[in-house]
Amino acid sequence: MDFTPTDEQTAARELAAEIFGDLSTPERLVAAGTGSDAELWKALCAAGLPGAVEDVGLLGLVLLLEEQGRVTAQVPLAASCVYGLLAVAVHGTEEQRGRLLPGLRDGTAVATGAFPAGSGVVAAAQEGEPGLTGTLTGAVPWVPWLRDATHVLVAVPDRIRRGGHSLWMVRVADVATEPVELTAPWAAGRLVLDGTPGERIGGDGAYADVLASARTAFAGLQAGVCAGSLARAVAHTNEREQFGRPLAAKQGVQLRAADAYMDTEAIRVTAYEAAWRRDESLAYGEHALTAAWWASEAGKRVVHAGQHLHGGMGADLDHPVHRHFLWGRQLDAYLGCGSEVLAELGDLIAEEEAV
């Protein structure tokens, strides 16, 4: 395994860090409220970063999302790249790629996924081969970034094959949506499908691949959220004095920060491994679940520590560290909380050993 970024991945990450650092400031985040930052999204697209994900791969996307997480930038980068760009590039037909990818690359089209674990009941009136059309009926109570999206990738449970899903792309213009507020300000909405036309994306293995890619990508985002929270805590405890000494000089503070650092590194390295294996066309389902487990279990520990190390300031809902706390807790449960992911991982290992 070699997680050393390529020159292209490094350049993309540095560019993303510069744009996020310049435009995703605490003041702009407060002004954005629970909505997305349209100016920041335009800047990212003008720099060609969403489209670059096809070249830098899932590991490159994880590196970009780390930079987003450090500043909790409110843009649908993870959702549009995973549920749109990568899903269509890998599993779409030639016609679908030619029609959908140009808009996803330049940001004029934004995709998201109706993938919250265990949520929603959706059925397709017609099953078929990739590229065929059908109609979808049902509802998903919350879909992240739905208010920004032009397309939604919907996971539909297979009526015959237990545990199987098919993927369908629908246009937001054809569905009914209602705004929903989540723990983190992800411009979410409720998705209602009522005989909605959709097109099949990919075959039998598409759902598992897209879900594993999503778990890996959002684990990378969580690594950035945790790194940003810890950086704020370190800066605060070095500046804040108690009885004439910085808080950072206290052993209890050092131990808490050290534990948070090790947890953050565990999230990062497991996300890197899963992404690298996917880019190398190696099996990575178990590794994606491992990254998701660390993102859930360790992620919530880190953002709680970051808030705790700020003392009374950590209880201020307007303090920037509280935003990391909200993002960390949202990512903790998205696509399956720790216990759910661990159970799924155990089932997968048991199935492989039984073969």
Side-chain angles (χ1 to χ4, degrees):
M1 293 180 292
D2 184 5
F3 303 151
T4 304
T6 64
D7 291 341
E8 292 78 8
Q9 290 170 338
T10 299
R13 181 177 195 167
E14 291 175 350
L15 180 57
E18 180 180 351
I19 295 173
F20 284 130
D22 289 344
L23 295 182
S24 187
T25 62
E27 294 76 19
R28 287 177 59 87
L29 289 170
V30 170
T34 61
S36 298
D37 190 329
E39 183 179 342
L40 174 57
W41 180 246
K42 289 179 181 178
L44 292 171
C45 295
L49 287 175
V53 171
E54 283 184 279
D55 298 320
V56 300
L58 185 57
L59 180 55
L61 176 58
V62 166
L63 297 174
L64 298 181
L65 295 176
E66 271 194 87
E67 300 305 325
Q68 178 185 359
R70 289 180 197 276
V71 293
T72 60
Q74 291 176 199
V75 288
L77 181 61
S80 194
C81 287
V82 170
Y83 300 125
L85 193 74
L86 292 179
V88 174
V90 174
H91 300 288
T93 64
E94 183 177 353
E95 188 278 332
Q96 288 172 329
R97 292 195 297 270
R99 173 166 46 86
L100 296 173
L101 285 179
L104 293 167
R105 288 171 182 146
D106 64 22
T108 54
V110 175
T112 188
F115 271 62
S119 297
V121 178
V122 179
Q126 174 184 338
E127 299 290 346
E129 296 298 320
L132 294 183
T133 59
T135 57
L136 279 65
T137 300
V140 180
W142 64 276
V143 177
W145 308 110
L146 182 59
R147 284 178 265 166
D148 296 329
T150 57
H151 295 78
V152 184
L153 189 65
V154 182
V156 178
D158 195 310
R159 292 175 292 182
I160 301 175
R161 188 165 47 90
R162 183 179 179 183
H165 292 74
S166 57
L167 295 180
W168 297 79
M169 188 72 81
V170 301
R171 298 190 313 154
V172 173
D174 295 330
V175 305
T177 64
E178 302 169 6
V180 173
E181 300 305 334
L182 305 179
T183 301
W186 285 3
R190 181 172 184 265
L191 178 70
V192 180
L193 305 162
D194 185 9
T196 303
E199 55 182 314
R200 179 84 181 268
I201 301 290
D204 292 339
Y207 169 76
D209 177 60
V210 173
L211 179 58
S213 295
R215 282 172 164 159
T216 303
F218 282 97
L221 184 61
Q222 180 76 302
V225 169
C226 291
S229 174
L230 182 57
R232 291 188 180 280
V234 169
H236 173 77
T237 55
N238 274 284
E239 296 170 358
R240 187 79 167 179
E241 292 189 357
Q242 190 177 59
F243 305 115
R245 299 177 62 199
L247 289 175
K250 298 182 179 296
Q251 188 179 48
V253 172
Q254 294 172 2
L255 291 173
R256 191 77 189 275
D259 286 342
Y261 173 79
M262 294 305 296
D263 274 338
T264 301
E265 288 302 296
I267 301 169
R268 176 182 289 116
V269 73
T270 52
Y272 284 6
E273 181 179 13
W276 176 83
R277 290 184 66 89
R278 188 262 188 194
D279 290 342
E280 294 295 316
S281 300
L282 300 172
Y284 75 109
E286 294 179 10
H287 303 80
L289 286 167
T290 302
W293 183 85
W294 276 104
S296 175
E297 293 295 312
K300 62 186 173 187
R301 288 198 297 265
V302 174
V303 295
H304 274 269
Q307 194 161 8
H308 186 200
L309 290 174
H310 277 76
M313 289 185 179
D316 183 356
L317 301 184
D318 295 325
H319 195 284
V321 77
H322 186 68
R323 190 177 298 272
H324 290 269
F325 174 78
L326 295 179
W327 277 63
R329 290 314 308 259
Q330 186 72 57
L331 287 164
D332 158 34
Y334 183 51
L335 300 178
C337 67
S339 59
E340 293 172 328
V341 169
L342 192 61
E344 189 176 338
L345 177 59
D347 291 341
L348 182 59
I349 294 173
E351 290 175 5
E352 292 179 351
E353 291 182 349
V355 175

